[in-house]
Amino acid sequence: MLDIAWRPRAHLDRESIAIFLAVERSSPQAALAAMQSIDAALDMARRFPDAGGHFHHDNLEHDYRTVLANPYTVFYRFDEATLTVYRILHQRQDIDAYSLVEF
């Protein structure tokens, strides 16, 4: 199984989702369910990284893979040892408005 690495923006996405659901929506249970869904999707991607959907955008230097953690989409790339998470976005968010930060 691949190691996992989090880009700063992906880590912030994850925290923001948990805070929004737990605090803003007053639903710690929904926050926990979302985190478990994201973790389960990433565990599957770590086992089968090629199975993720392909994502290409003309304004990006690299192509990405995606895995669904309904209602979120996790954007990642991988090499022989590591799966790197770049963003976690709600499926209603427009990818053009939320760049995939590559620093």
Side-chain angles (χ1 to χ4, degrees):
M1 186 177 335
L2 297 176
D3 290 334
I4 192 162
W6 291 83
R7 301 302 295 170
R9 184 61 207 198
H11 187 70
L12 181 60
D13 289 339
R14 182 180 170 83
E15 288 180 348
S16 296
I17 291 165
I19 290 168
F20 174 76
L21 293 172
V23 177
E24 297 295 323
R25 294 292 183 191
S26 300
S27 183
Q29 298 85 3
L32 179 60
M35 296 303 102
Q36 289 172 336
S37 177
I38 290 167
D39 289 346
L42 284 171
D43 282 346
M44 183 64 69
R46 290 172 67 196
R47 287 188 189 99
F48 307 104
D50 286 319
H54 291 273
F55 179 80
H56 171 79
H57 194 284
D58 291 336
N59 295 333
L60 296 174
E61 180 180 345
H62 302 286
D63 288 345
Y64 293 84
R65 295 287 186 143
T66 61
V67 64
L68 298 179
N70 207 17
Y72 302 99
T73 302
V74 179
F75 294 84
Y76 68 92
R77 296 181 61 221
F78 68 96
D79 59 25
E80 58 280 344
T82 306
L83 183 140
T84 303
V85 182
Y86 281 83
R87 293 299 309 262
I88 305 170
L89 301 176
H90 193 283
Q91 292 173 3
R92 291 184 184 173
Q93 288 175 293
D94 181 4
I95 192 63
D96 291 332
Y98 298 91
S99 66
L100 290 163
V101 179
E102 297 187 17
F103 56 87

